[in-house]
Amino acid sequence: MDQFLTLTKIAIDQEKSKDYTRAFNSFNKALAFTKDENTILKIRSRQAWCLHLVGNPDETQNIYEQLIESYPQNSWSYLLYARYLIKTKRFKAAKTLLAKASKVFQDNLEIYLTLASLLKDMERSNEAIDVLKLALAQETLTRGRGIRRKDMWAELGSLFFQRGDYNSAISALKKSLRMDTEDHFLHYDILGLCYLLVGDPENSVYFIDKYVQFNGEVDVELLVIKARAHTRLGANHLACASLLQAYSVDDRLILDADDMVDLAPLKQIGFLETLENLEIED
């Protein structure tokens, strides 16, 4: 094991120094001292990357294809190849490979996450949503990069939010919240906005306050959302307080047409005219 660690460290140092041929050879020597499949796959992947960097992509491709052929029951053979394809911007090929892998390894969280992330980056959020739904339908899932089922529900909620499906976003995010502790949940702000957008200002204020409780501060956008929620509840004095807090951050405030739909009562009572550096965008 000492020789394996020594040779691996040498190889990594050579790789960092851009001495890719020597790094490849040092990785090759290290392989003689391990029989662990995952370790072998990861070292072979680094060797493949060294070949790519010296201008031999065909041999790089051969290595990854050989790994899948030699280790068809190990998910890392697919994941490492997919990461290489993504890194070299061959997104369609990576998508095809990961879709195939998700059928072979139906409980592998890492594969679903990598595929969903790729689809999201390709601006194919509907497909990313379908992948996460498929993953969450599995009875058991392996853990990947410290990510658990609650994190997948949160990511699904974020995707629904980006698509404008606010009720589905709320449902997914609250499932994540129920699997988490209150102080570790990271999406109170999205919940606050979603509740405003579905016409539930009381819950909007509640979740924005939760965000402040666990984060210690709140940004201008959330303060404006809270002010909008307060006006819908008829609490104009609380709405004014939220806007003053938002204004004090930069001694200026920018509101848009959507904001003004809710904040019109504050304009009617003359409050907005007291803010000198107020800009209202169309």
PDB file of all heavy atoms in Angstrom, residues 76-102:
ATOM      1  N   TRP A  76     -18.996   3.142 -11.916  1.00  0.00           N
ATOM      2  CA  TRP A  76     -17.948   4.126 -12.165  1.00  0.00           C
ATOM      3  C   TRP A  76     -17.414   4.049 -13.594  1.00  0.00           C
ATOM      4  O   TRP A  76     -16.926   5.051 -14.124  1.00  0.00           O
ATOM      5  CB  TRP A  76     -16.792   3.949 -11.164  1.00  0.00           C
ATOM      6  CG  TRP A  76     -17.096   4.587  -9.850  1.00  0.00           C
ATOM      7  CD1 TRP A  76     -17.397   3.966  -8.673  1.00  0.00           C
ATOM      8  CD2 TRP A  76     -17.147   5.995  -9.573  1.00  0.00           C
ATOM      9  NE1 TRP A  76     -17.639   4.886  -7.689  1.00  0.00           N
ATOM     10  CE2 TRP A  76     -17.491   6.132  -8.207  1.00  0.00           C
ATOM     11  CE3 TRP A  76     -16.950   7.140 -10.342  1.00  0.00           C
ATOM     12  CZ2 TRP A  76     -17.632   7.380  -7.609  1.00  0.00           C
ATOM     13  CZ3 TRP A  76     -17.102   8.380  -9.747  1.00  0.00           C
ATOM     14  CH2 TRP A  76     -17.433   8.492  -8.390  1.00  0.00           C
ATOM     15  N   SER A  77     -17.510   2.885 -14.231  1.00  0.00           N
ATOM     16  CA  SER A  77     -17.042   2.783 -15.614  1.00  0.00           C
ATOM     17  C   SER A  77     -17.856   3.712 -16.518  1.00  0.00           C
ATOM     18  O   SER A  77     -17.326   4.322 -17.454  1.00  0.00           O
ATOM     19  CB  SER A  77     -17.120   1.338 -16.101  1.00  0.00           C
ATOM     20  OG  SER A  77     -18.455   0.869 -16.086  1.00  0.00           O
ATOM     21  N   TYR A  78     -19.155   3.841 -16.235  1.00  0.00           N
ATOM     22  CA  TYR A  78     -20.020   4.738 -16.990  1.00  0.00           C
ATOM     23  C   TYR A  78     -19.848   6.191 -16.546  1.00  0.00           C
ATOM     24  O   TYR A  78     -19.778   7.106 -17.372  1.00  0.00           O
ATOM     25  CB  TYR A  78     -21.483   4.334 -16.808  1.00  0.00           C
ATOM     26  CG  TYR A  78     -21.867   3.056 -17.510  1.00  0.00           C
ATOM     27  CD1 TYR A  78     -21.667   1.825 -16.906  1.00  0.00           C
ATOM     28  CD2 TYR A  78     -22.446   3.084 -18.773  1.00  0.00           C
ATOM     29  CE1 TYR A  78     -22.036   0.641 -17.549  1.00  0.00           C
ATOM     30  CE2 TYR A  78     -22.823   1.907 -19.423  1.00  0.00           C
ATOM     31  CZ  TYR A  78     -22.606   0.697 -18.803  1.00  0.00           C
ATOM     32  OH  TYR A  78     -22.970  -0.463 -19.437  1.00  0.00           O
ATOM     33  N   LEU A  79     -19.810   6.401 -15.231  1.00  0.00           N
ATOM     34  CA  LEU A  79     -19.746   7.769 -14.710  1.00  0.00           C
ATOM     35  C   LEU A  79     -18.478   8.489 -15.144  1.00  0.00           C
ATOM     36  O   LEU A  79     -18.516   9.657 -15.541  1.00  0.00           O
ATOM     37  CB  LEU A  79     -19.827   7.743 -13.183  1.00  0.00           C
ATOM     38  CG  LEU A  79     -21.239   7.711 -12.592  1.00  0.00           C
ATOM     39  CD1 LEU A  79     -21.190   7.339 -11.117  1.00  0.00           C
ATOM     40  CD2 LEU A  79     -21.930   9.054 -12.776  1.00  0.00           C
ATOM     41  N   LEU A  80     -17.355   7.809 -15.062  1.00  0.00           N
ATOM     42  CA  LEU A  80     -16.084   8.446 -15.416  1.00  0.00           C
ATOM     43  C   LEU A  80     -16.035   8.778 -16.907  1.00  0.00           C
ATOM     44  O   LEU A  80     -15.538   9.843 -17.299  1.00  0.00           O
ATOM     45  CB  LEU A  80     -14.919   7.540 -15.017  1.00  0.00           C
ATOM     46  CG  LEU A  80     -14.735   7.385 -13.502  1.00  0.00           C
ATOM     47  CD1 LEU A  80     -13.775   6.243 -13.196  1.00  0.00           C
ATOM     48  CD2 LEU A  80     -14.218   8.675 -12.871  1.00  0.00           C
ATOM     49  N   TYR A  81     -16.572   7.883 -17.718  1.00  0.00           N
ATOM     50  CA  TYR A  81     -16.626   8.147 -19.161  1.00  0.00           C
ATOM     51  C   TYR A  81     -17.551   9.333 -19.441  1.00  0.00           C
ATOM     52  O   TYR A  81     -17.226  10.232 -20.221  1.00  0.00           O
ATOM     53  CB  TYR A  81     -17.098   6.888 -19.874  1.00  0.00           C
ATOM     54  CG  TYR A  81     -17.008   6.928 -21.384  1.00  0.00           C
ATOM     55  CD1 TYR A  81     -16.315   7.935 -22.062  1.00  0.00           C
ATOM     56  CD2 TYR A  81     -17.613   5.940 -22.152  1.00  0.00           C
ATOM     57  CE1 TYR A  81     -16.224   7.952 -23.445  1.00  0.00           C
ATOM     58  CE2 TYR A  81     -17.536   5.942 -23.540  1.00  0.00           C
ATOM     59  CZ  TYR A  81     -16.853   6.952 -24.179  1.00  0.00           C
ATOM     60  OH  TYR A  81     -16.766   6.966 -25.550  1.00  0.00           O
ATOM     61  N   ALA A  82     -18.702   9.363 -18.763  1.00  0.00           N
ATOM     62  CA  ALA A  82     -19.652  10.468 -18.960  1.00  0.00           C
ATOM     63  C   ALA A  82     -19.027  11.801 -18.562  1.00  0.00           C
ATOM     64  O   ALA A  82     -19.207  12.814 -19.247  1.00  0.00           O
ATOM     65  CB  ALA A  82     -20.915  10.207 -18.158  1.00  0.00           C
ATOM     66  N   ARG A  83     -18.317  11.814 -17.460  1.00  0.00           N
ATOM     67  CA  ARG A  83     -17.668  13.051 -17.013  1.00  0.00           C
ATOM     68  C   ARG A  83     -16.645  13.530 -18.043  1.00  0.00           C
ATOM     69  O   ARG A  83     -16.489  14.734 -18.278  1.00  0.00           O
ATOM     70  CB  ARG A  83     -17.003  12.829 -15.654  1.00  0.00           C
ATOM     71  CG  ARG A  83     -17.996  12.695 -14.507  1.00  0.00           C
ATOM     72  CD  ARG A  83     -17.275  12.438 -13.210  1.00  0.00           C
ATOM     73  NE  ARG A  83     -18.211  12.231 -12.101  1.00  0.00           N
ATOM     74  CZ  ARG A  83     -17.835  11.907 -10.873  1.00  0.00           C
ATOM     75  NH1 ARG A  83     -16.552  11.761 -10.584  1.00  0.00           N
ATOM     76  NH2 ARG A  83     -18.745  11.740  -9.923  1.00  0.00           N
ATOM     77  N   TYR A  84     -15.928  12.587 -18.641  1.00  0.00           N
ATOM     78  CA  TYR A  84     -14.969  12.945 -19.683  1.00  0.00           C
ATOM     79  C   TYR A  84     -15.697  13.571 -20.878  1.00  0.00           C
ATOM     80  O   TYR A  84     -15.275  14.601 -21.408  1.00  0.00           O
ATOM     81  CB  TYR A  84     -14.185  11.706 -20.124  1.00  0.00           C
ATOM     82  CG  TYR A  84     -13.405  11.907 -21.401  1.00  0.00           C
ATOM     83  CD1 TYR A  84     -12.282  12.735 -21.431  1.00  0.00           C
ATOM     84  CD2 TYR A  84     -13.800  11.283 -22.589  1.00  0.00           C
ATOM     85  CE1 TYR A  84     -11.564  12.935 -22.612  1.00  0.00           C
ATOM     86  CE2 TYR A  84     -13.097  11.480 -23.764  1.00  0.00           C
ATOM     87  CZ  TYR A  84     -11.982  12.301 -23.771  1.00  0.00           C
ATOM     88  OH  TYR A  84     -11.272  12.510 -24.931  1.00  0.00           O
ATOM     89  N   LEU A  85     -16.797  12.961 -21.289  1.00  0.00           N
ATOM     90  CA  LEU A  85     -17.560  13.484 -22.418  1.00  0.00           C
ATOM     91  C   LEU A  85     -18.110  14.881 -22.119  1.00  0.00           C
ATOM     92  O   LEU A  85     -18.102  15.759 -22.978  1.00  0.00           O
ATOM     93  CB  LEU A  85     -18.709  12.521 -22.754  1.00  0.00           C
ATOM     94  CG  LEU A  85     -18.296  11.166 -23.328  1.00  0.00           C
ATOM     95  CD1 LEU A  85     -19.498  10.233 -23.406  1.00  0.00           C
ATOM     96  CD2 LEU A  85     -17.642  11.315 -24.702  1.00  0.00           C
ATOM     97  N   ILE A  86     -18.574  15.075 -20.886  1.00  0.00           N
ATOM     98  CA  ILE A  86     -19.085  16.396 -20.492  1.00  0.00           C
ATOM     99  C   ILE A  86     -17.946  17.417 -20.479  1.00  0.00           C
ATOM    100  O   ILE A  86     -18.102  18.550 -20.958  1.00  0.00           O
ATOM    101  CB  ILE A  86     -19.757  16.308 -19.109  1.00  0.00           C
ATOM    102  CG1 ILE A  86     -21.040  15.478 -19.194  1.00  0.00           C
ATOM    103  CG2 ILE A  86     -20.072  17.712 -18.574  1.00  0.00           C
ATOM    104  CD1 ILE A  86     -21.627  15.113 -17.849  1.00  0.00           C
ATOM    105  N   LYS A  87     -16.814  16.993 -19.950  1.00  0.00           N
ATOM    106  CA  LYS A  87     -15.655  17.890 -19.860  1.00  0.00           C
ATOM    107  C   LYS A  87     -15.193  18.336 -21.247  1.00  0.00           C
ATOM    108  O   LYS A  87     -14.712  19.463 -21.428  1.00  0.00           O
ATOM    109  CB  LYS A  87     -14.515  17.165 -19.127  1.00  0.00           C
ATOM    110  CG  LYS A  87     -13.443  18.063 -18.566  1.00  0.00           C
ATOM    111  CD  LYS A  87     -12.495  17.243 -17.689  1.00  0.00           C
ATOM    112  CE  LYS A  87     -11.466  18.114 -17.003  1.00  0.00           C
ATOM    113  NZ  LYS A  87     -10.573  17.321 -16.118  1.00  0.00           N
ATOM    114  N   THR A  88     -15.355  17.455 -22.234  1.00  0.00           N
ATOM    115  CA  THR A  88     -14.942  17.777 -23.603  1.00  0.00           C
ATOM    116  C   THR A  88     -16.122  18.239 -24.459  1.00  0.00           C
ATOM    117  O   THR A  88     -16.048  18.264 -25.686  1.00  0.00           O
ATOM    118  CB  THR A  88     -14.254  16.557 -24.258  1.00  0.00           C
ATOM    119  OG1 THR A  88     -15.104  15.401 -24.150  1.00  0.00           O
ATOM    120  CG2 THR A  88     -12.929  16.259 -23.583  1.00  0.00           C
ATOM    121  N   LYS A  89     -17.227  18.604 -23.773  1.00  0.00           N
ATOM    122  CA  LYS A  89     -18.398  19.239 -24.391  1.00  0.00           C
ATOM    123  C   LYS A  89     -19.103  18.355 -25.426  1.00  0.00           C
ATOM    124  O   LYS A  89     -19.743  18.852 -26.358  1.00  0.00           O
ATOM    125  CB  LYS A  89     -18.019  20.595 -25.009  1.00  0.00           C
ATOM    126  CG  LYS A  89     -17.427  21.567 -23.999  1.00  0.00           C
ATOM    127  CD  LYS A  89     -17.253  22.946 -24.574  1.00  0.00           C
ATOM    128  CE  LYS A  89     -16.580  23.893 -23.599  1.00  0.00           C
ATOM    129  NZ  LYS A  89     -17.252  23.981 -22.294  1.00  0.00           N
ATOM    130  N   ARG A  90     -19.039  17.046 -25.225  1.00  0.00           N
ATOM    131  CA  ARG A  90     -19.813  16.131 -26.076  1.00  0.00           C
ATOM    132  C   ARG A  90     -21.072  15.730 -25.295  1.00  0.00           C
ATOM    133  O   ARG A  90     -21.207  14.616 -24.810  1.00  0.00           O
ATOM    134  CB  ARG A  90     -18.963  14.929 -26.475  1.00  0.00           C
ATOM    135  CG  ARG A  90     -17.982  15.285 -27.586  1.00  0.00           C
ATOM    136  CD  ARG A  90     -17.063  14.163 -27.939  1.00  0.00           C
ATOM    137  NE  ARG A  90     -16.003  14.032 -26.949  1.00  0.00           N
ATOM    138  CZ  ARG A  90     -15.091  13.056 -26.972  1.00  0.00           C
ATOM    139  NH1 ARG A  90     -15.132  12.132 -27.910  1.00  0.00           N
ATOM    140  NH2 ARG A  90     -14.155  13.006 -26.057  1.00  0.00           N
ATOM    141  N   PHE A  91     -21.947  16.706 -25.173  1.00  0.00           N
ATOM    142  CA  PHE A  91     -23.091  16.565 -24.277  1.00  0.00           C
ATOM    143  C   PHE A  91     -24.095  15.509 -24.752  1.00  0.00           C
ATOM    144  O   PHE A  91     -24.656  14.785 -23.941  1.00  0.00           O
ATOM    145  CB  PHE A  91     -23.789  17.918 -24.117  1.00  0.00           C
ATOM    146  CG  PHE A  91     -22.891  18.999 -23.586  1.00  0.00           C
ATOM    147  CD1 PHE A  91     -22.814  20.229 -24.218  1.00  0.00           C
ATOM    148  CD2 PHE A  91     -22.101  18.779 -22.467  1.00  0.00           C
ATOM    149  CE1 PHE A  91     -21.979  21.232 -23.728  1.00  0.00           C
ATOM    150  CE2 PHE A  91     -21.268  19.771 -21.971  1.00  0.00           C
ATOM    151  CZ  PHE A  91     -21.205  21.001 -22.610  1.00  0.00           C
ATOM    152  N   LYS A  92     -24.314  15.436 -26.057  1.00  0.00           N
ATOM    153  CA  LYS A  92     -25.280  14.457 -26.572  1.00  0.00           C
ATOM    154  C   LYS A  92     -24.808  13.043 -26.280  1.00  0.00           C
ATOM    155  O   LYS A  92     -25.598  12.175 -25.850  1.00  0.00           O
ATOM    156  CB  LYS A  92     -25.480  14.663 -28.075  1.00  0.00           C
ATOM    157  CG  LYS A  92     -26.588  13.801 -28.651  1.00  0.00           C
ATOM    158  CD  LYS A  92     -26.826  14.130 -30.111  1.00  0.00           C
ATOM    159  CE  LYS A  92     -27.929  13.247 -30.701  1.00  0.00           C
ATOM    160  NZ  LYS A  92     -28.182  13.560 -32.129  1.00  0.00           N
ATOM    161  N   ALA A  93     -23.516  12.786 -26.497  1.00  0.00           N
ATOM    162  CA  ALA A  93     -22.967  11.454 -26.222  1.00  0.00           C
ATOM    163  C   ALA A  93     -23.026  11.138 -24.733  1.00  0.00           C
ATOM    164  O   ALA A  93     -23.328  10.004 -24.330  1.00  0.00           O
ATOM    165  CB  ALA A  93     -21.522  11.377 -26.721  1.00  0.00           C
ATOM    166  N   ALA A  94     -22.766  12.139 -23.905  1.00  0.00           N
ATOM    167  CA  ALA A  94     -22.828  11.944 -22.448  1.00  0.00           C
ATOM    168  C   ALA A  94     -24.246  11.629 -22.014  1.00  0.00           C
ATOM    169  O   ALA A  94     -24.470  10.746 -21.177  1.00  0.00           O
ATOM    170  CB  ALA A  94     -22.317  13.192 -21.733  1.00  0.00           C
ATOM    171  N   LYS A  95     -25.223  12.339 -22.595  1.00  0.00           N
ATOM    172  CA  LYS A  95     -26.624  12.089 -22.265  1.00  0.00           C
ATOM    173  C   LYS A  95     -27.020  10.663 -22.623  1.00  0.00           C
ATOM    174  O   LYS A  95     -27.670   9.962 -21.834  1.00  0.00           O
ATOM    175  CB  LYS A  95     -27.509  13.089 -23.006  1.00  0.00           C
ATOM    176  CG  LYS A  95     -29.002  12.841 -22.860  1.00  0.00           C
ATOM    177  CD  LYS A  95     -29.791  13.842 -23.686  1.00  0.00           C
ATOM    178  CE  LYS A  95     -31.285  13.534 -23.653  1.00  0.00           C
ATOM    179  NZ  LYS A  95     -31.623  12.298 -24.395  1.00  0.00           N
ATOM    180  N   THR A  96     -26.625  10.215 -23.799  1.00  0.00           N
ATOM    181  CA  THR A  96     -26.946   8.852 -24.241  1.00  0.00           C
ATOM    182  C   THR A  96     -26.331   7.813 -23.305  1.00  0.00           C
ATOM    183  O   THR A  96     -26.990   6.838 -22.910  1.00  0.00           O
ATOM    184  CB  THR A  96     -26.437   8.626 -25.681  1.00  0.00           C
ATOM    185  OG1 THR A  96     -27.064   9.573 -26.550  1.00  0.00           O
ATOM    186  CG2 THR A  96     -26.745   7.213 -26.152  1.00  0.00           C
ATOM    187  N   LEU A  97     -25.088   8.030 -22.934  1.00  0.00           N
ATOM    188  CA  LEU A  97     -24.390   7.093 -22.052  1.00  0.00           C
ATOM    189  C   LEU A  97     -25.030   7.039 -20.668  1.00  0.00           C
ATOM    190  O   LEU A  97     -25.256   5.963 -20.105  1.00  0.00           O
ATOM    191  CB  LEU A  97     -22.916   7.491 -21.932  1.00  0.00           C
ATOM    192  CG  LEU A  97     -22.041   6.590 -21.057  1.00  0.00           C
ATOM    193  CD1 LEU A  97     -21.928   5.195 -21.656  1.00  0.00           C
ATOM    194  CD2 LEU A  97     -20.651   7.204 -20.882  1.00  0.00           C
ATOM    195  N   LEU A  98     -25.352   8.210 -20.112  1.00  0.00           N
ATOM    196  CA  LEU A  98     -25.947   8.258 -18.770  1.00  0.00           C
ATOM    197  C   LEU A  98     -27.362   7.686 -18.768  1.00  0.00           C
ATOM    198  O   LEU A  98     -27.778   7.043 -17.789  1.00  0.00           O
ATOM    199  CB  LEU A  98     -25.948   9.699 -18.261  1.00  0.00           C
ATOM    200  CG  LEU A  98     -24.572  10.250 -17.872  1.00  0.00           C
ATOM    201  CD1 LEU A  98     -24.634  11.762 -17.725  1.00  0.00           C
ATOM    202  CD2 LEU A  98     -24.076   9.609 -16.577  1.00  0.00           C
ATOM    203  N   ALA A  99     -28.099   7.918 -19.845  1.00  0.00           N
ATOM    204  CA  ALA A  99     -29.446   7.343 -19.938  1.00  0.00           C
ATOM    205  C   ALA A  99     -29.367   5.817 -19.943  1.00  0.00           C
ATOM    206  O   ALA A  99     -30.173   5.135 -19.289  1.00  0.00           O
ATOM    207  CB  ALA A  99     -30.145   7.850 -21.195  1.00  0.00           C
ATOM    208  N   LYS A 100     -28.389   5.282 -20.650  1.00  0.00           N
ATOM    209  CA  LYS A 100     -28.176   3.838 -20.665  1.00  0.00           C
ATOM    210  C   LYS A 100     -27.780   3.341 -19.275  1.00  0.00           C
ATOM    211  O   LYS A 100     -28.289   2.326 -18.784  1.00  0.00           O
ATOM    212  CB  LYS A 100     -27.086   3.478 -21.681  1.00  0.00           C
ATOM    213  CG  LYS A 100     -26.771   1.989 -21.741  1.00  0.00           C
ATOM    214  CD  LYS A 100     -25.662   1.704 -22.735  1.00  0.00           C
ATOM    215  CE  LYS A 100     -25.294   0.213 -22.741  1.00  0.00           C
ATOM    216  NZ  LYS A 100     -24.171  -0.067 -23.690  1.00  0.00           N
ATOM    217  N   ALA A 101     -26.877   4.077 -18.625  1.00  0.00           N
ATOM    218  CA  ALA A 101     -26.404   3.689 -17.290  1.00  0.00           C
ATOM    219  C   ALA A 101     -27.534   3.697 -16.272  1.00  0.00           C
ATOM    220  O   ALA A 101     -27.578   2.853 -15.365  1.00  0.00           O
ATOM    221  CB  ALA A 101     -25.282   4.626 -16.842  1.00  0.00           C
ATOM    222  N   SER A 102     -28.470   4.649 -16.417  1.00  0.00           N
ATOM    223  CA  SER A 102     -29.576   4.731 -15.457  1.00  0.00           C
ATOM    224  C   SER A 102     -30.492   3.522 -15.543  1.00  0.00           C
ATOM    225  O   SER A 102     -31.191   3.188 -14.577  1.00  0.00           O
ATOM    226  CB  SER A 102     -30.380   6.024 -15.674  1.00  0.00           C
ATOM    227  OG  SER A 102     -31.111   5.969 -16.887  1.00  0.00           O
TER     228      SER A 102
END
